[in-house]
Amino acid sequence: MLENIRIVLVNTSHTGNIGSTARAMKTMGLSNLVLVDPITAPDGQASALAAGAGDVLANARQVSTLAEAIQGCGLVIGTSARSRTLSWPMLEPRECGEKLISEVAQYPVALVFGRENNGLSNDELQQCHFHVCIPANPDYSSLNLAAAVQTLCYEIRMAFLHKTREPEVLEPYPLVDDLEAFYSHLEQTLLKTNFIKPQHPGMVMPKLRRLFNRTRPDEQEFNILRGILASIDKSIKAKD
C-alpha cells in the first residue's frame, strides 16, 4: 500500500533536502520518491543526509515536469503554505494522511512539495485535487522542506497503521448481578480477615466499589479476583 504513495519534490535547489527527504520517507515506510527538474541532481551531500535511506535515494525517479511525476495517479495533494487568489479544497495534515491511505488501494496517489523558497506555482497547485497546509506558528511558519515531508509522512503512517491494525478483541465484562455477588464476597472476606471492623466499617466498601467501577475489570480479570477471594477463604477455613 505504501509503495503506491509518491512523494514528489518539485525543482528542489538543495541536494541535502533531497537526501533528508529520503530519510524522512524511509522512517515512515515510504519509498517512492520522484524528483521534478531538481536544480542539482542528488550528490554526495544528498547521500550523506539520506543516512540509512540510500536505497530510497538511489531509486528516486527524475522527470522534467510535474505532469510526468503524477501521471497515472488518481489523487494528488499539493502542499501550500499560503492562500492563493483562487481558493482550493484544503486539508489538514491528518486529513491528508487519511485521504491518501483511503484511496491508495485503488490507484497510485501523490503528495507534492514545492521549491524551498516559494513552494508550488499556481499552475502546479491547480494540477492537484487538494491542498494541504501544516498549521505551524503563524509568527514563524517557515518549515524546512525535509521537516514538512517528515510531518506529512508521519500522518500518512498513522493513517496506514490505523487502517491495517487488527481489531482489538475485547473480553466481555461481568454483569451487574455478578458484580454485586463479588462485592458481597469481598466484604465477607474482609470481615473474616478483620480488615473491616463490623462495628466501624467506615468507607472501605464504597471506596472499593468506586475503585473497581473506575478500572472496570473484564470477565477474565474478574474471575481472577473471585479466585483470590476463594483462596483466602479456604486458607482461613483451614487455619480455623
Side-chain angles (χ1 to χ4, degrees):
M1 188 182 292
L2 295 179
E3 291 176 357
N4 270 337
I5 300 177
R6 300 178 194 174
I7 301 299
V8 181
L9 303 186
V10 176
N11 206 207
T12 311
S13 57
H14 301 294
T15 58
N17 281 332
I18 298 175
S20 295
T21 290
R23 182 175 184 177
M25 290 172 59
K26 188 164 184 175
T27 60
M28 295 299 128
L30 301 169
S31 59
N32 194 340
L33 175 60
V34 184
L35 307 175
V36 177
D37 188 29
I39 301 298
T40 304
D43 55 13
Q45 185 181 17
S47 297
L49 290 176
D55 54 333
V56 176
L57 187 62
N59 293 323
R61 185 162 57 95
Q62 292 190 46
V63 297
S64 300
T65 65
L66 177 58
E68 292 176 77
I70 62 177
Q71 187 175 12
C73 289
L75 172 67
V76 180
I77 299 177
T79 55
S80 177
R82 53 195 171 93
S83 59
R84 305 286 171 152
T85 304
L86 179 62
S87 62
W88 217 255
M90 291 292 300
L91 298 173
E92 294 289 332
R94 188 141 303 170
E95 294 173 317
C96 171
E98 291 168 351
K99 193 152 195 69
L100 289 167
I101 290 299
S102 69
E103 298 192 26
V104 71
Q106 306 170 56
Y107 34 63
V109 298
L111 179 59
V112 184
F113 295 83
R115 301 157 187 82
E116 290 96 333
N117 56 349
N118 56 4
L120 295 168
S121 67
N122 286 333
D123 179 65
E124 290 162 343
L125 282 168
Q126 287 176 30
Q127 295 180 59
C128 304
H129 299 98
F130 296 90
H131 298 168
V132 58
C133 179
I134 298 172
N137 178 7
D139 296 328
Y140 186 67
S141 60
S142 178
L143 272 174
N144 171 270
L145 173 59
V149 173
Q150 186 74 81
T151 299
L152 293 178
C153 285
Y154 169 81
E155 293 296 348
I156 291 171
R157 183 157 189 82
M158 290 302 98
F160 167 73
L161 292 176
H162 179 73
K163 186 177 180 67
T164 57
R165 186 176 290 122
E166 292 185 9
E168 184 181 1
V169 179
L170 296 176
E171 288 289 333
Y173 292 104
L175 302 178
V176 171
D177 297 359
D178 297 326
L179 280 172
E180 287 303 319
F182 165 71
Y183 290 135
S184 177
H185 188 177
L186 177 60
E187 183 173 18
Q188 292 305 311
T189 300
L190 294 179
L191 285 167
K192 291 177 188 176
T193 62
N194 292 318
F195 187 86
I196 294 179
K197 306 295 182 184
Q199 60 275 27
H200 300 294
M203 295 294 291
V204 173
M205 284 309 301
K207 288 187 176 182
L208 285 174
R209 278 177 172 268
R210 185 176 64 182
L211 168 64
F212 288 115
N213 285 338
R214 184 170 67 243
T215 56
R216 203 183 181 200
D218 62 35
E219 202 166 75
Q220 282 192 351
E221 295 165 335
F222 175 74
N223 288 334
I224 291 172
L225 293 171
R226 292 299 302 265
I228 291 171
L229 293 179
S231 175
I232 295 171
D233 291 343
K234 185 178 180 181
S235 178
I236 293 172
K237 185 176 181 181
K239 186 178 179 180
D240 291 342

